[in-house]
Amino acid sequence: QVQLVESGGSVVQPGRSLRLSCATSGFTFRSYGMHWVRQAPGKGLEWMALIWYDGSNKYYADSVKGRFTISRDNSKNTLYLQMNSLRAEDTAVYYCARGLGWDYGIDAFDIWGQGTMVTVSS
Amino acid sequence: DIQMTQSPSSLSASVGDRVTITCRASQSITSYLNWYQQKPGKAPNLLIYAASSLLSGVPSRFSGSRSGTDFTLTISSVQPEDFATYYCQQSYITPYTFGQGTQLDIK
């Protein structure tokens, strides 16, 4: 079945870096755009980043632009999020999510991972 | 950035009630609007895409509609498993943005 599994979350000090991974299975990874979405404790959802199916285009939320980098390895069916210069306000559960697919004529997040927790604290 | 404003922020309902949640976009997003359901401690689930298209496998008691920049999610007869938080999300243009969420509780 279609599955997304995030890893790499941990407790990290402000200013440090962390890389999250999202291992996928059960679908043709190289055919789908992929996203990162986060949720701070007790708060709502915040879209972070999008990468096209082939990695040719990337888009970011203003809050992370210049600090976070989304990437993918289609040979490994894996999505990544490199997070630099982390701040306390980056503390959240980070979800990877699959894009709905261009056949639908709209982007949406149709499959989600279980999330990985990132805590930024000294 | 496009702001998405949901109302109400919370509501209480009984099983069998008809429930409506509204989402307003700060500018035109045509029908680039999606709805998600999230239960505590779980990832969200996509319910409706493109304002009114039901994702395969989602119960038909869920429906969505659009009027200009106003969007509505309706649950025709709330079931026990529907008590959750609901989010709207625009994918008209990046940065994609979510509404603040509507928590549906049991009355």
Side-chain angles (χ1 to χ4, degrees):
Chain A
Q1 73 280 22
V2 177
Q3 197 170 12
L4 308 178
V5 179
E6 301 95 337
S7 61
S10 70
V11 179
V12 62
Q13 292 179 329
R16 308 285 283 192
S17 299
L18 201 62
R19 188 176 84 156
L20 305 182
S21 299
C22 171
T24 74
S25 59
F27 67 101
T28 305
F29 179 70
R30 65 179 181 273
S31 297
Y32 289 85
M34 296 294 296
H35 301 262
W36 287 99
V37 177
R38 72 182 180 185
Q39 186 169 37
K43 302 298 185 182
L45 300 166
E46 182 184 14
W47 174 83
M48 292 285 92
L50 157 66
I51 185 168
W52 280 22
Y53 67 100
D54 59 357
S56 60
N57 287 286
K58 305 175 184 180
Y59 305 88
Y60 297 93
D62 292 343
S63 59
V64 303
K65 197 175 296 182
R67 298 190 300 125
F68 290 12
T69 302
I70 189 171
S71 63
R72 64 191 298 156
D73 186 335
N74 285 348
S75 68
K76 296 182 178 179
N77 297 329
T78 302
L79 176 72
Y80 302 100
L81 185 67
Q82 177 67 42
M83 304 186 294
N84 298 332
S85 303
L86 283 161
R87 306 166 180 169
E89 54 264 36
D90 295 319
T91 294
V93 174
Y94 285 74
Y95 296 101
C96 61
R98 189 181 78 171
L100 187 58
W102 298 114
D103 289 352
Y104 288 82
I106 184 171
D107 204 1
F109 318 127
D110 70 334
I111 305 293
W112 297 65
Q114 85 288 352
T116 187
M117 183 70 203
V118 173
T119 302
V120 184
S121 173
S122 54
Chain B
D1 299 359
I2 297 175
Q3 307 303 316
M4 306 301 296
T5 303
Q6 275 183 247
S7 60
S9 56
S10 65
L11 76 157
S12 297
S14 300
V15 173
D17 283 354
R18 181 181 181 90
V19 165
T20 298
I21 298 169
T22 298
C23 180
R24 173 169 291 174
S26 61
Q27 66 183 73
S28 175
I29 58 170
T30 63
S31 292
Y32 285 80
L33 189 284
N34 308 306
W35 289 99
Y36 301 83
Q37 175 194 69
Q38 186 180 33
K39 297 182 179 178
K42 300 294 187 181
N45 288 311
L46 178 64
L47 300 174
I48 288 171
Y49 63 95
S52 60
S53 296
L54 200 66
L55 192 70
S56 176
V58 174
S60 59
R61 61 181 180 273
F62 291 92
S63 64
S65 65
R66 170 201 170 195
S67 176
T69 57
D70 291 339
F71 299 84
T72 299
L73 172 69
T74 299
I75 310 173
S76 60
S77 177
V78 173
Q79 299 302 300
E81 60 268 30
D82 299 338
F83 292 100
T85 299
Y86 293 84
Y87 293 92
C88 61
Q89 175 254 328
Q90 67 81 15
S91 56
Y92 180 74
I93 192 171
T94 60
Y96 295 159
T97 46
F98 288 89
Q100 78 276 18
T102 295
Q103 185 171 349
L104 175 59
D105 294 328
I106 301 173
K107 184 183 291 183

